[in-house]
């Protein structure tokens, strides 16, 4: 039995690790329920043994009754804003002023992304978090200490050497894009209010009087400056931020120190190119004179420092007019309203369409045709309409017509239906609906599916419209004559198309399953199915319970697979595809020579030091086989936190189960 002190220490460490991973990697290590259960356990122990509570105990993150209002806190040092540069010329002008005032020939700048969130000040006294406040008007803000304590990447206690006795850290609180999408998807499906953008979601989450609500939001903090400090710090901005990082305070991994304004422009271009792929929204780059001594000499004008500037990116949100709504029918029959917009330039591209998701979303927005709407484009996300501009005087009179959902499929005229619990309205026409058929063929031919090069959307439309395709199986019946007769298809393109269709006959089981377009069966699920059952017939014959045994197959996906397998039209198409010569090699779990040859491993649950994929590939490199499900043939199971049914199955089959530390020992012993 561990002592209470050991248990407290272990639980504290575990919760801190889980909490940190929640942000560092995109997906949490364990389900929220596990985190909550460990938290309950730790709270109970701390209640029994208050002396054992550690200063940075995660139980201190949420506590206390909801507030009735936020207190006001005066900032000991005002929180300033930044001047903006909207062009390279503005930036060069800023640099010229800095050089001139300092009478130097070159300047070292620290470059950082300008995070689009909420500015906060967090005070540590004796290394403990004692206060957090919003920026407010810059002179005083609101006391949001209880809420900031719930943010899992904000340290409650600093660790390390030479921590100043009083340290005010300033930075931005944001919600990463993935967390934002999840939050909104959840809100959308339960009919709650969705947030317009991650910044509003972060602000709304911090404005909660009940910190229990804030604790459930995926907030994250990044420090970008210090405020009042009693004690000593390095003489430079970058040195200071690196110090903060050593004490456990998160700073931007994109921070970079450069000399000269050309290097700043290069940094700007580099980050601008990465902007869409970043996990969070940024609205520009901040350049700061790196030396504190030079910063002091430059000083401030009105509300902004002379030693820093924000070079802004093109806006991600702009307003435009909604000209009309088209209804698109997808490959599963789902009918999506698509907004036709007066073209606008958003975040670097011209946008003339945006998704309106579904009927619920249209109702939530209260939008009518003719309205001026705010369009947002961020990351790879399809442009969205986030709100309606109500007070636009130019368009104050709302002349628009309401958006009416079609009562018949706009493509084939078949009936439409709305399944219980679903937001989407679907055409019931199946592949008899040309729009659905086109979607099905597009998916079938796509790169990650059958990878039929040269078979693009336009050509598919032509083939379906000309009646050459009634199902994906017809692709393999196309001839030089039938394709050659199509508009704009010369000999060369016809030949290329036919040879890439022929080449696609040879595939893999998992790509083929994915290509079938079974609802909710994406690439990963297709791979799991193929590794688990190892044959198409086995998948199609599997009862729901057997399907649910597979990684990431739940009851809904299992039902979709059963429904697909039951459908006689699908069976007929599968037979035709088989007859057309579609084939794949037997599914083999990688075999090899090496010290672990002859062993079969299953890695399950979350790992901390490496990803599951990395663990598997390192095992395979040592000659082991890896599998996704536990069977009597399995020789070892690596179970990380969150391992569920596979661990149980291994236990019932008396297969050795080891944890990640033991796995690392095995890998390091052999590598
Ligand atoms: S420095 C005295 N650095 O931008 C300089 N600000 O327009 C204070 N912001 O209120 C700000 N990322 O909320 C700085 N890397 C960054 C930033 C940043 C975002 C925000 C901050 C501030 C606003 C000023």
């Amino acid at each position: 039995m561990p002592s209470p002190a050991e248990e407290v220490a272990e639980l504290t460490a575990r919760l801190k690790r889980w909490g940190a991973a929640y942000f560092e990697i995109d997906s949490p290590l364990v389900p929220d329920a596990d985190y909550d259960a460990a938290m309950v356990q730790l709270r109970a122990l701390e209640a029994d043994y208050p002396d054992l509570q550690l200063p940075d105990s995660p139980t201190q993150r949420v506590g206390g009754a909801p507030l009735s209002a936020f207190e006001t806190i005066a900032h000991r040092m005002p929180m300033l804003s930044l001047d903006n540069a909207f062009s390279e010329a503005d930036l060069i002008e800023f640099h010229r002023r800095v050089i001139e005032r300092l009478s130097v020939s070159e300047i070292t700048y620290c470059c950082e992304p300008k995070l689009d969130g909420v500015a906060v000040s967090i005070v540590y006294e004796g290394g403990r978090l004692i206060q957090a406040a919003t920026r407010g008007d810059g002179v005083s803000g609101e006391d949001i200490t209880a809420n900031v304590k719930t943010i899992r990447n904000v340290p409650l206690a600093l660790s390390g050497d030479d921590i100043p006795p009083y340290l005010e850290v300033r930075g931005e609180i944001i919600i990463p894009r993935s967390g934002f999408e999840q939050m909104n998807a959840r809100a959308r499906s339960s009919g709650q209010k969705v947030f317009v953008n991650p910044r509003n979601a972060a602000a709304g989450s911090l404005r909660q009087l009940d910190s229990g609500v804030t604790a459930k939001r995926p907030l994250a903090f990044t420090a970008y400056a210090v405020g009042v400090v009693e004690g000593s710090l390095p003489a430079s901005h970058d040195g200071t931020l690196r110090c903060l990082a050593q004490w456990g305070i998160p700073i931007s991994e994109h921070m970079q120190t450069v000399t000269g304004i050309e290097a700043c422009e290069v940094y700007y271009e580099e980050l601008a190119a990465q902007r869409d792929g970043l996990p969070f929204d940024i609205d520009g780059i901040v350049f700061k004179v790196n030396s504190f001594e030079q910063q002091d000499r430059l000083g401030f004008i009105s509300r902004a420092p002379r030693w820093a500037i924000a070079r802004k990116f093109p806006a991600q949100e702009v307003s435009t007019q909604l000209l009309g709504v088209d209804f698109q029918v997808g490959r599963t029959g789902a009918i999506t309203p698509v907004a036709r917009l007066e073209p606008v330039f958003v975040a670097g591209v011209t946008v003339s369409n945006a998704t309106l998701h579904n009927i619920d979303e249209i109702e939530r927005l209260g939008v009518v045709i003719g309205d001026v709407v705010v369009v947002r484009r961020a990351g790879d996300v399809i442009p969205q309409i986030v709100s309606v501009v109500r007070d636009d005087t130019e368009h104050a009179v709302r002349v628009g017509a309401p958006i009416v959902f079609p009562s018949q499929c706009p493509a084939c005229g078949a009936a439409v239906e709305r399944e219980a619990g679903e937001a989407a309205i679907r055409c019931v026409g199946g592949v008899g609906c040309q729009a659905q058929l086109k979607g099905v063929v597009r998916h079938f031919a796509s790169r990650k599916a059958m990878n039929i090069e040269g078979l693009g959307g336009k050509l598919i439309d032509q083939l379906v419209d000309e009646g050459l395709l009634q199902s994906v199986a017809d692709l393999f019946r196309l001839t030089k004559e039938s394709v050659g007769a199509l508009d704009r298809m010369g000999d060369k393109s016809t030949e290329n198309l036919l040879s890439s269709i022929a080449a696609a006959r040879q595939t893999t089981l998992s790509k083929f399953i994915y290509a079938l377009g079974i609802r909710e069966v994406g690439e990963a699920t297709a791979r799991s199915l193929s590794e688990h059952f190892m044959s198409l017939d086995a998948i199609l014959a599997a009862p729901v319970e057997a399907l649910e045994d597979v990684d990431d197959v739940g009851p809904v996906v299992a039902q979709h697979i059963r429904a697909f397998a039951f459908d006689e039209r699908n069976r007929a198409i599968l037979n035709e595809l088989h007859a057309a010569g579609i084939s794949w090699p037997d599914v083999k779990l990688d075999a090899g020579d090496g010290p672990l040859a002859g062993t079969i491993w299953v890695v399950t649950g979350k790992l901390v030091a490496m990803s599951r994929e990395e663990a598997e590939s390192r095992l395979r490199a040592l000659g082991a086989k890896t599998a996704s499900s536990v069977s009597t043939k399995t020789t070892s199971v690596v179970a990380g936190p969150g391992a569920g049914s596979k661990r149980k199955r291994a236990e019932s089959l008396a297969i050795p189960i080891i944890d990640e530390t033991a796995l690392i020992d095995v890998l390091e012993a052999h590598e």
Side-chain angles (χ1 to χ4, degrees), residues 242-283:
R242 284 187 219 288
C243 246
L244 298 184
Q246 275 174 14
W247 297 325
I249 298 168
I251 63 168
S252 172
E253 60 174 298
H254 298 281
M255 180 175 91
Q256 199 176 312
T257 312
V258 304
T259 299
I261 204 68
E262 292 80 16
C264 290
E265 195 59 30
V266 170
Y267 179 93
Y268 170 87
E269 294 297 343
E270 276 171 10
L271 240 76
Q274 289 176 39
R275 183 188 189 189
D276 275 2
L278 291 177
F280 44 79
D281 281 2
I282 63 177
D283 56 355

Side-chain angles (χ1 to χ4, degrees), residues 233-531:
L233 280 175
S236 64
H237 176 77
D238 63 348
T240 296
L241 290 202
R242 284 187 219 288
C243 246
L244 298 184
Q246 275 174 14
W247 297 325
I249 298 168
I251 63 168
S252 172
E253 60 174 298
H254 298 281
M255 180 175 91
Q256 199 176 312
T257 312
V258 304
T259 299
I261 204 68
E262 292 80 16
C264 290
E265 195 59 30
V266 170
Y267 179 93
Y268 170 87
E269 294 297 343
E270 276 171 10
L271 240 76
Q274 289 176 39
R275 183 188 189 189
D276 275 2
L278 291 177
F280 44 79
D281 281 2
I282 63 177
D283 56 355
I285 302 295
V286 187
F287 299 105
K288 299 170 181 172
V289 171
N290 195 42
S291 146
F292 283 157
E293 182 267 331
Q294 289 183 333
Q295 286 190 3
D296 289 342
R297 274 162 57 204
L298 288 162
F300 304 88
I301 19 164
S302 66
R303 308 285 311 275
R306 283 205 192 88
W307 44 262
I309 193 143
R311 169 91 155 88
K312 298 295 283 274
F313 287 137
Q316 283 187 318
E317 276 177 22
V318 298
S319 64
T320 188
Q321 197 172 16
L322 176 64
L323 302 177
V325 175
D326 296 329
F327 292 91
Q328 274 180 7
V329 186
R331 68 180 167 84
T332 63
I335 298 175
T336 309
V338 178
R340 248 185 304 115
L341 303 166
E342 179 67 43
V344 270
F345 201 61
V346 202
V349 302
T350 302
V351 166
S352 47
N353 291 308
T355 178
L356 277 162
H357 294 290
N358 51 47
I359 237 174
D360 297 346
E361 181 72 358
I362 292 174
E363 277 170 16
R364 183 188 73 78
L365 290 166
V367 60
V368 302
I369 293 161
D371 273 349
V372 174
V373 293
V374 176
V375 178
R376 174 178 172 78
R377 184 183 165 268
D380 314 326
V381 188
I382 305 163
Q384 320 241 339
I385 293 187
V386 294
S387 58
V388 177
V389 179
R390 300 274 177 218
D391 57 356
D392 191 279
T393 42
E394 225 181 297
H395 300 87
V397 188
R398 299 177 77 205
V399 289
I403 300 164
V404 183
F405 250 73
S407 54
Q408 287 179 318
C409 172
C412 73
V416 299
E417 64 173 20
R418 189 173 185 174
E419 283 168 35
E422 266 208 52
I425 288 178
R426 280 175 208 282
C427 156
V428 301
V431 284
C433 168
Q434 298 224 327
Q436 286 190 52
L437 176 60
K438 286 174 183 172
V440 167
V441 180
R442 246 180 234 133
H443 176 78
F444 186 81
S446 63
R447 198 172 50 80
K448 291 173 179 171
M450 301 301 280
N451 191 21
I452 306 180
E453 271 175 57
L455 185 55
K458 289 233 168 66
L459 187 49
I460 292 172
D461 289 352
Q462 254 180 307
L463 290 165
V464 172
D465 293 341
E466 293 298 322
L468 293 177
L469 295 185
Q470 256 106 49
S471 81
V472 291
D474 290 340
L475 283 169
F476 300 92
R477 295 195 188 95
L478 293 174
T479 62
K480 232 173 164 169
E481 292 67 41
S482 63
V483 176
L486 294 174
D487 255 9
R488 291 187 306 277
M489 283 301 282
D491 285 352
K492 191 77 202 147
S493 358
T494 304
E495 230 169 80
N496 287 347
L497 176 66
L498 292 178
S499 67
S500 49
I501 292 176
R505 286 196 170 93
Q506 191 56 42
T507 181
T508 65
L509 177 57
S510 77
K511 284 189 175 176
F512 185 70
I513 295 167
Y514 172 67
L516 294 176
I518 303 170
R519 267 171 73 185
E520 313 274 341
V521 176
E523 252 191 300
T525 309
R527 201 172 318 115
S528 303
L529 285 165
S530 101
E531 284 176 6

